[in-house]
């Protein structure tokens, strides 16, 4: 599901011609994956043997790759969204504040 979201947003950004934002998204995902693998090797925490695993897993249990990549994905998408909407909102608020202040309004 996460891969589908990332691919959809990357294609959307490509169609809009926002190649820098698309590169930022892909770079963040690659960086998050790499960081997850490095941290797994660093901590080397074995997976619990409480229940039998349905598949053979070669990586350590901490940090959770799913949790880390979800956080990276949604924080990156939030940053891209904030960056794309901030300019219009800041222009509106900065142009309307002085006139309200001069008029004595709140």
């Amino acid at each position: 599901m996460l891969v589908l979201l990332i691919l959809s947003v990357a294609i959307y950004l490509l169609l809009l011609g926002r190649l820098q934002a698309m590169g930022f998204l892909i770079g963040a995902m690659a960086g998050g994956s790499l960081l997850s693998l490095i941290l797994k090797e660093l901590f080397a925490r074995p997976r619990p043997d409480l229940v039998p695993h349905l598949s053979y897993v070669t990586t350590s249990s901490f940090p959770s790759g799913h949790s880390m990549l979800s956080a990276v994905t949604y924080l990156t998408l939030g940053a891209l969204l904030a960056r794309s909407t901030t300019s219009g909102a800041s222009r509106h608020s900065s142009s309307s504040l002085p006139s309200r202040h001069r008029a004595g309004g709140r």
Side-chain angles (χ1 to χ4, degrees):
M1 185 69 158
L2 203 55
V3 172
L4 182 61
L5 175 66
I6 295 166
L7 285 175
S8 299
V9 173
I11 290 170
Y12 177 73
L13 291 171
L14 178 66
L15 292 174
L16 288 180
R18 297 192 55 200
L19 299 179
Q20 188 176 16
M22 185 185 77
F24 178 71
L25 175 67
I26 293 171
M29 297 304 104
S33 297
L34 183 62
L35 181 62
S36 178
L37 290 174
I38 290 170
L39 289 175
K40 283 180 181 286
E41 288 296 319
L42 182 67
F43 288 107
R45 181 177 169 193
R47 294 187 177 270
D49 290 334
L50 244 87
V51 294
H53 299 286
L54 295 176
S55 63
Y56 181 71
V57 182
T58 60
T59 59
S60 302
S61 67
F62 180 81
S64 168
H66 292 93
S67 297
M68 180 174 257
L69 290 180
S70 292
V72 168
T73 299
Y74 293 116
L75 289 171
T76 301
L77 292 177
L80 288 173
L81 182 62
R83 187 174 180 191
S84 68
T85 59
T86 301
S87 61
S90 65
R91 268 188 276 142
H92 173 69
S93 64
S94 64
S95 64
S96 63
L97 283 178
S99 62
R100 280 197 254 162
H101 186 266
R102 280 188 297 240
R106 293 181 184 211

